[in-house]
Amino acid sequence: MDAYHDHPHEPVVLGEGEVYGLLAEYDTPGELVEAARKVREAGYTKFDCYTPFPVHGIDDAIGIKRTILPALIFGGGFLGTAGGLYLQWWCNAHNWAWNISGKPSWSIPANVPIAFETTILMAVFTSFFGMWILNKLPQVWHPLFRIERFGRVTDDAFLLAIEASDRRFELDKTTALLEGTGPIGLETCRLDPDPVKKQMPKWITAMIVASTAFALIPFAIAAKARNSKSSEPHLHIFPDMDFQPKFKSDTAMDLFPDDRANRGEIDGTISRDPASLKADPIYYYGLENGAWTAGFPQQLDLNETMVKRGQNRFNIYCTPCHGYDGQGHGSVPERLKLTDGRSGILNPANLTAPAGTAVNMPNGQLFNTISNGANTMMGYAGQIPHADRWAIVLYVRALQRAQSASKDDVPADQQGSIR
């Protein structure tokens, strides 16, 4: 391969096959960039440079156009967004629409997370496969691999190759052009006359086939599981916390003579927290001497602060059904009437009607209703503390009093400001 140094006008010829192109080697990256610029200015388009590291300015010298891959990725991401939104709309609003508390069956905000994920997924697939397709990969065989000096391209060689398929390629003229760029080596690359050597190695083909077969195994297992029945439990590849060395309360346990895992409460013990005893029946249950109390627990201060606290809790937990005025026209039943026309499905009580049930309830019974629920109303004992439930009772009484108030209830010095 060093014959060029002694005979610079006689390129080294490799093989006897059809000419693939010319390969020139340069001593420095700067010489390679300058040579690439001269080749491009001469009108050649099918040529490339090979370097062991990125060389600044070589893209402009070769005339490489901006890749269309970003546009393809954008298109793939857009299709992912549209596909994700359509899939959710078709499943949740069209094919199997659910009416949940009268809420809309379709809205963009609720479907953004899945659409975001499908956008990323399709953009990544487009980026990965688009890069392979645009670069015509995989290409396990190339004519330049036959040239010994090309093996140094990842080490210290700076190479430029012009393909014979270029419309301006003529062996003598192209050779003269490259000689004028000052290369330290110039070779004519020919195609291998043996077509067998151009084929993909059999071991690579076997690996691709085997990998494809193995990739189909999970899908085959899933298909079998969906179309078969078994009395055995599913195979837990990732058991997480499904199986633990423990005994549940209703299972047998041979550690004790009675074979019970649940040991129950220990006799003679009480809680360290006095409040957990709930020894005050009025405060914790609304009961006084076994009947509903008409008053309020004595440990509560019935003042404006407690009324405002009750209003705050009422607006959070009660207004969706009973409305802000307590008359039963909350957003949930009103929307249900508008969407389905079924006014009887949910008919909250009017808490302020003079002859209504809530007005005639003792305070203790109203407290118990808030705690444990009634009819279709759920209990809120697990969400609202005892003191806040009594605050709601006080605010409900304030609403009821406001509905039946008269002019005489207004102080005399303020009656003149009534409109």
Side-chain angles (χ1 to χ4, degrees):
M1 297 303 176
D2 296 330
Y4 182 76
H5 293 285
D6 299 329
H7 306 281
H9 299 290
E10 297 179 7
V12 177
V13 179
L14 179 67
E16 299 296 336
E18 182 182 352
V19 175
Y20 170 78
L22 292 173
L23 180 68
E25 180 181 359
Y26 298 87
D27 191 35
T28 64
E31 294 176 0
L32 176 64
V33 172
E34 186 61 28
R37 185 174 292 109
K38 290 181 180 180
V39 171
R40 180 172 63 86
E41 291 174 353
Y44 290 87
T45 58
K46 293 188 177 181
F47 71 98
D48 205 349
C49 295
Y50 306 92
T51 63
F53 51 80
V55 176
H56 180 69
I58 201 169
D59 290 352
D60 295 334
I62 298 175
I64 296 178
K65 298 180 181 179
R66 187 172 182 177
T67 177
I68 65 170
L69 188 58
L72 296 178
I73 294 174
F74 176 81
F78 180 80
L79 290 178
T81 303
L85 291 175
Y86 175 77
L87 175 64
Q88 295 175 92
W89 171 84
W90 190 86
C91 294
N92 301 330
H94 177 70
N95 187 57
W96 191 260
W98 280 22
N99 186 339
I100 303 176
S101 300
K103 298 178 181 178
S105 59
W106 169 254
S107 64
I108 292 295
N111 297 276
V112 165
I114 298 300
F116 172 78
E117 296 298 337
T118 54
T119 301
I120 299 299
L121 179 66
M122 294 306 298
V124 169
F125 280 166
T126 305
S127 175
F128 180 78
F129 292 107
M131 183 276 296
W132 284 76
I133 294 173
L134 292 177
N135 288 313
K136 300 178 180 179
L137 298 176
Q139 188 171 356
V140 297
W141 181 89
H142 196 278
L144 292 177
F145 293 167
R146 302 181 64 218
I147 300 179
E148 183 178 350
R149 73 171 68 244
F150 191 80
R152 296 174 28 242
V153 72
T154 58
D155 186 11
D156 59 357
F158 302 95
L159 307 174
L160 184 150
I162 303 178
E163 298 181 18
S165 58
D166 192 293
R167 62 184 180 84
R168 300 186 65 88
F169 185 90
E170 294 182 17
L171 185 58
D172 294 338
K173 293 182 179 180
T174 306
T175 300
L177 173 66
L178 291 178
E179 287 176 349
T181 60
I184 61 173
L186 181 59
E187 298 189 40
T188 300
C189 179
R190 294 180 179 273
L191 299 174
D192 196 315
D194 186 358
V196 177
K197 295 183 179 180
K198 300 179 184 179
Q199 298 176 358
M200 183 180 297
K202 294 183 178 180
W203 67 270
I204 295 182
T205 304
M207 182 177 294
I208 294 176
V209 173
S211 300
T212 304
F214 279 117
L216 295 176
I217 291 177
F219 296 98
I221 295 176
K224 179 180 180 300
R226 290 180 60 86
N227 295 279
S228 60
K229 297 181 180 180
S230 175
S231 60
E232 300 296 327
H234 293 293
L235 177 63
H236 283 64
I237 300 177
F238 302 102
D240 297 322
M241 299 181 66
D242 295 340
F243 304 101
Q244 300 180 44
K246 65 180 182 181
F247 291 91
K248 296 184 178 180
S249 59
D250 295 330
T251 58
M253 184 178 181
D254 57 4
L255 183 63
F256 300 99
D258 56 5
D259 295 330
R260 293 190 308 166
N262 186 357
R263 305 314 304 156
E265 297 180 0
I266 302 177
D267 296 336
T269 59
I270 60 174
S271 172
R272 293 186 178 184
D273 183 9
S276 66
L277 298 177
K278 299 182 179 180
D280 186 347
I282 298 178
Y283 181 77
Y284 290 105
Y285 303 104
L287 295 173
E288 185 176 8
N289 298 324
W292 301 120
T293 181
F296 288 87
Q298 53 183 324
Q299 61 263 49
L300 299 177
D301 294 328
L302 307 183
N303 50 32
E304 186 178 357
T305 301
M306 184 174 176
V307 174
K308 290 183 177 180
R309 177 65 178 178
Q311 182 184 18
N312 175 266
R313 300 294 95 179
F314 182 90
N315 291 344
I316 293 174
Y317 295 101
C318 308
T319 56
C321 290
H322 294 282
Y324 286 97
D325 55 5
Q327 296 183 8
H329 304 298
S331 59
V332 173
E334 291 302 314
R335 175 171 287 185
L336 192 60
K337 293 177 184 178
L338 292 175
T339 55
D340 291 351
R342 297 179 293 175
S343 58
I345 291 292
L346 184 63
N347 192 17
N350 186 340
L351 303 178
T352 61
T357 304
V359 173
N360 299 320
M361 276 188 182
N363 290 342
Q365 187 177 4
L366 189 57
F367 173 85
N368 179 74
T369 302
I370 298 172
S371 302
N372 302 309
N375 298 326
T376 59
M377 172 184 165
M378 61 173 286
Y380 289 88
Q383 298 165 269
I384 310 176
H386 295 83
D388 286 346
R389 277 177 261 164
W390 282 113
I392 293 176
V393 172
L394 182 61
Y395 179 69
V396 170
R397 295 308 187 200
L399 284 177
Q400 295 170 349
R401 187 70 181 89
Q403 294 296 319
S404 59
S406 63
K407 185 176 180 181
D408 296 335
D409 294 319
V410 181
D413 59 342
Q414 298 181 14
Q415 291 183 4
S417 61
I418 300 178
R419 295 182 181 179

